[in-house]
Amino acid sequence: MSKTFKNLPVGLQSFPKIIQEQFFYLDKTDFIARMIDEKAGPYFLARPRRFGKSLLISTLAALFSGKREFFTGLAIEKRLDEKIFAARPVIRLDMSYVKTNIGFAEFYRTLGRMTSSSAIWQGSKWSLTRFLFASPKSFDFNPSAKLSPAEILTKLIEKLAKKSGRKVVVLIDEYDKPYLDLLNMPDEAEKVRDELRAFYTILKASDDHISFTFITGISKFTRTGVFSAINNIRDISVSPEYAALCGFTHDELARRFEKQIDEAASKLGKNRDDLLEELRDYYDGFSFDGVTRVYNPFSTLLFFVDKRFDNYWFDSGTSQVIAQYIKDNRLTVEEFRGMEVSRAFVKNPGEINNSGPESYLYQSGYLSVRAGKNENIYTLDYPNREVYESMSRLLVDNFIGNTAIADGARINSLKAFENGDVNSLIKIFNELLAKIPYDIYSNANRKTIKINNIEINFNEWLFHSNILSFLIGAGLDARAENHTSHGQSDLVIIHGRRAWVLELKMVRNGNDATVAKTALKQIMEKDYVGPYANPILLGIAINESKRTISAWEAMDDETAKSQRGGSR
């Protein structure tokens, strides 16, 4: 069951505020009940940013601190008389508030200060340093003692359990943020990781005083290092039974947002079913077990507020970090699509400082997992159009080096497609290819890439994928056909009522014009235009040494039909 509501909780992370002020709340408390019934060790959940982790922590804090009135009508309400849900002290640590801007010293100081005042009991905050729950005479903690953050956490857990007569709940949000914040300062980052390891080890040492522990983070990058001493941790990040713990499933979206869907469909002039499919394409697709798919809650809620498709999640943060990462590692957007990975990779992708780019992008939420050949093999892909389009735009902006110029090129390409202007389109493509850094071409000459188990020269793939990224980033419906032994067309662009079918061929030795004619002939002979209405056929020759489109042949569908001797 979900609460009735007046407003959508865009950006809200406080469960009490959402309930008290009657914002929308999608009931996920049945997952909490399942965790309680499992009676497992400390729980760990990795999810991308802005995916509801902090709201989940807030919900757990309200539940265990005895705020029963907030759970009326929710799935877990009928369980609240059980002993485990009796009000107890809660230690809630949000590691995103730990300051790291001047390095380890500031981290150490703010972590200790936050930990000492992180407990909630009987509706009030308890603090070791301020004696909010005991008088100085009855409490043996010496506030002048120079205790480490780990020692403060130890004493806090022990004192809370002793004073309340109940075991403590520990909730840690964004466990990895202090470490990730300092990755560009390796020495400081290692100091932070060592201190975090000592800090989190207390959870195991204090197990006799703890009834429930829940930890969230964006990534698993540092799980091996930071949590190495906690050998009983229950990682539910890829567990099928918790795949929908954060985010909205398609069924939840269709049932719980009926009013918002109807309003958006009316404003956009679409029928309900078409809008739902477009929403699925744009914001669904995050998968953590390879099967269950969920919508990004942040983008979905903002869509219902604005009633406009936009890249809300991607633009809300870290895009420049990802842009720099793509640039530094000379990545193309397309090279990860369909990449096979093992189940071991999905469960434990490795450390950030020695993992491949697929690990970095997967753990950051920019790549998602899909079911593969069997239960031990998965494939990677971008979760949805928002992420795919945004990544494509970032790549092109990096190459061109000026966002305004890149946006101008995208606008001009849209005009070219609208007007059927092949010459302008070729000019735009050549300007793009000229911006690809020379060292990428040099490295590409020595590499191959495997797409659908077929090896392709990486230089050839570089041309294809960057043209595709440009088109996707422009918001066009551009599709790369699978490279197979049947030789399907390279690119299909649907714009308005017209399709463009492109075949790109490399010129290494031979006549450029002849190669372009061969590409056009291949489109016609193999009938690549078959499924598409009113297509333009475009054969393109790319001169590898000049790194430019050196020749092209274009033909509209009517002319192609006449040369083939009749209609399709």
Side-chain angles (χ1 to χ4, degrees), residues 266 277 478:
S266 176
E277 284 307 306

Side-chain angles (χ1 to χ4, degrees), residues 34 69 200 261 389 440 455 482 498 512 514 546 556:
R34 182 180 298 164
E69 66 274 17
Y200 293 137
I261 292 168
E389 183 178 299
I440 295 185
E455 232 174 49
N482 293 329
R498 173 177 283 163
D512 298 40
T514 300
K546 295 178 180 178
D556 61 33

Side-chain angles (χ1 to χ4, degrees), residues 257-304:
F257 292 92
E258 288 187 87
K259 177 184 175 184
Q260 284 70 27
I261 292 168
D262 289 341
E263 289 176 349
S266 176
K267 181 177 179 180
L268 297 173
K270 301 175 182 289
N271 68 52
R272 189 176 190 276
D273 290 341
D274 288 345
L275 179 63
L276 277 172
E277 284 307 306
E278 200 165 351
L279 279 167
R280 190 200 297 267
D281 179 54
Y282 229 97
Y283 301 126
D284 193 12
F286 286 89
S287 181
F288 309 101
D289 65 346
V291 179
T292 302
R293 299 191 182 195
V294 292
Y295 285 76
N296 181 304
F298 183 75
S299 289
T300 305
L301 293 177
L302 275 173
F303 167 81
F304 285 130

